[in-house]
Amino acid sequence: MWRREGLIIVACALLVAVGARADESGSAVRWSYGPGGLRFETDTTSMVLRNLAQVRFTQEAPDEGENRGYFDTHRYQVRLDGRWTETWRFGLQLNLADGSEDNRNLLEDAWVQYEWHPLAQLRVGQTKVPFGRQFLMDEGELEFVDVSIATARFAHGRDVGLALRGANSVQTYAYSVGVYNGNGINQDESENDDYLGSASLWFAPLGEVHWTETDRTRPDKAQLQFGVSVITQNQGSEGIEEFRTTTGALEASFRKAGFDAAFEFFTSSAGSVLGLPAIEDDTDGWHAQSSWLFVNGVELAGRYSEILAKDSSLDETELGAALGYHFSDHNHKVQLDWRKLEFETPGASPRIERHEIRAQLQLSF
């Protein structure tokens, strides 16, 4: 198992090795700066250094209690993506705005990928566990300032492991099959007795679909994508406290000439390995989202999302609308969204209704 310190050391050692290799080859280092970040290249190596900053203001208005507003730096990601020769890729991502007292969440991604064939690429390290569509989007390429409540509830998040992945040359289908620790970000120890398994499959019958919620190219040709994902894991200690959790996702999206629509359905079940009914639990969720991007960079979006628990009193709903303006694709944009959340909290009234207004400035450089 890798500790987070080990991941950082491995990533830094990789960069040193790449630089040393470039020096040994005697090839000159070329660099350039553009909307995608600062790019370094030699004859065998290329690296892109990029920063993503999201500064946000949130105003909360619950139906009970006082209103409150606050500013925060929601994300400040430092990203390094690179390639060595034609077969090796690597990535490193830090989120300087999401550290804790022990900096547990500082390191988000640290991985190396061997690309033996377009249909056979092995990625090792810490990264997002493939599951669903919205979760796999770049955090800077969302129509709302964040993902839906359903995506936040059902996606596993980041983890450490390995995955075999690939796609055909025209990007009409892709897959990922992986094994992970199952403990979450920067964790190497837990009470789990089993690894987490993940499998995903995507189809784009009309041609390649860019992995973004808004495509500034406004494609004239219709784009359509379907996907299915599953993650499963035994959790707890062996025997009476052991239970298996399995979560599945179905997704569909359509895009043409500035219009974008997506739907995802999630279902999760948990039950004792010994069949004890007291541990059984089933939860479903879904979201539907659509948007329209005008030629001048203005974007309008709407979303509805639900989490449907076995106990209906614990259901959660989200209704929202968003307005955005893209100065330069997703690199520089401002976003304003409103959403109404309904949920139940222990010790409070049967249902809580809270309205939120969020304004966000995003800069990528």
Side-chain angles (χ1 to χ4, degrees):
M1 306 294 183
W2 288 3
R3 289 184 174 273
R4 58 184 179 276
E5 294 88 349
L7 288 171
I8 295 176
I9 292 172
V10 169
C12 292
L14 175 63
L15 298 182
V16 172
V18 168
R21 182 77 178 187
D23 289 341
E24 290 175 3
S25 66
S27 58
V29 177
R30 304 174 295 276
W31 67 274
S32 61
Y33 180 76
L38 183 61
R39 184 178 187 88
F40 300 88
E41 290 182 297
T42 69
D43 293 340
T44 59
T45 307
S46 63
M47 293 185 292
V48 177
L49 179 63
R50 180 175 171 230
N51 297 273
L52 175 69
Q54 294 177 338
V55 182
R56 181 182 300 178
F57 173 77
T58 302
Q59 181 69 42
E60 299 179 351
D63 57 355
E64 293 187 7
E66 297 183 357
N67 297 355
R68 71 168 189 147
Y70 56 92
F71 294 93
D72 73 301
T73 301
H74 186 64
R75 289 186 180 93
Y76 192 102
Q77 294 175 339
V78 180
R79 305 173 175 181
L80 181 66
D81 295 290
R83 177 180 293 277
W84 177 55
T85 70
E86 294 296 323
T87 55
W88 289 96
R89 284 186 59 202
F90 52 90
L92 176 68
Q93 180 169 299
L94 308 177
N95 188 359
L96 304 183
D98 198 27
S100 57
E101 290 184 0
D102 60 356
N103 288 325
R104 173 173 169 263
N105 296 325
L106 177 63
L107 178 66
E108 291 189 332
D109 293 334
W111 53 266
V112 177
Q113 180 166 299
Y114 178 70
E115 299 183 344
W116 176 69
H117 186 276
L119 287 172
Q121 303 176 4
L122 183 65
R123 177 174 292 192
V124 181
Q126 180 165 288
T127 186
K128 289 183 177 181
V129 175
F131 183 79
R133 177 180 184 272
Q134 189 177 63
F135 170 68
L136 291 178
M137 300 291 180
D138 187 299
E139 291 90 346
E141 299 185 3
L142 300 174
E143 293 164 353
F144 284 71
V145 301
D146 228 326
V147 298
S148 72
I149 60 171
T151 295
R153 164 63 177 80
F154 291 96
H156 176 74
R158 288 176 161 88
D159 216 315
V160 182
L162 61 88
L164 183 66
R165 42 194 278 150
N168 66 334
S169 59
V170 291
Q171 302 291 315
T172 55
Y173 65 85
Y175 78 95
S176 175
V177 179
V179 178
Y180 302 87
N181 287 343
N183 308 328
I185 189 171
N186 299 322
Q187 293 286 341
D188 58 0
E189 297 177 359
S190 80
E191 297 178 354
N192 297 337
D193 294 332
D194 194 18
Y195 293 104
L196 179 140
S198 168
S200 299
L201 184 63
W202 297 276
F203 293 97
L206 303 182
E208 180 181 3
V209 179
H210 293 163
W211 282 88
T212 173
E213 282 197 338
T214 302
D215 191 344
R216 281 297 303 272
T217 63
R218 294 173 51 87
D220 294 329
K221 181 182 177 182
Q223 297 180 346
L224 188 63
Q225 186 177 59
F226 301 98
V228 57
S229 303
V230 63
I231 52 177
T232 184
Q233 180 184 27
N234 275 3
Q235 296 179 306
S237 58
E238 184 176 356
I240 193 171
E241 296 181 355
E242 185 180 9
F243 63 97
R244 173 166 289 277
T245 300
T246 301
T247 306
L250 294 173
E251 62 184 84
S253 62
F254 174 82
R255 177 180 296 155
K256 183 179 180 180
F259 176 74
D260 189 286
F263 174 83
E264 290 188 75
F265 172 78
F266 308 95
T267 184
S268 180
S269 64
S272 170
V273 173
L274 299 181
L276 299 178
I279 304 180
E280 292 182 356
D281 185 28
D282 296 299
T283 306
D284 297 330
W286 64 278
H287 71 244
Q289 185 168 313
S290 63
S291 68
W292 183 264
L293 177 67
F294 296 90
V295 293
N296 61 359
V298 174
E299 180 181 53
L300 299 175
R303 179 165 75 198
Y304 185 77
S305 181
E306 283 187 325
I307 298 174
L308 306 173
K310 187 174 183 179
D311 180 356
S312 61
S313 66
L314 300 178
D315 292 352
E316 300 179 39
T317 64
E318 175 191 29
L319 173 66
L323 170 67
Y325 179 72
H326 299 242
F327 294 97
S328 173
D329 201 0
H330 285 285
N331 295 316
H332 309 130
K333 65 181 180 180
V334 291
Q335 295 170 280
L336 176 68
D337 70 18
W338 160 86
R339 64 177 185 167
K340 181 179 73 171
L341 303 172
E342 292 186 10
F343 55 94
E344 179 177 311
T345 56
S349 59
R351 298 291 291 174
I352 298 293
E353 181 177 298
R354 186 175 76 210
H355 293 260
E356 291 182 355
I357 296 177
R358 303 176 293 183
Q360 180 169 280
L361 170 65
Q362 175 174 301
L363 298 177
S364 179
F365 53 95

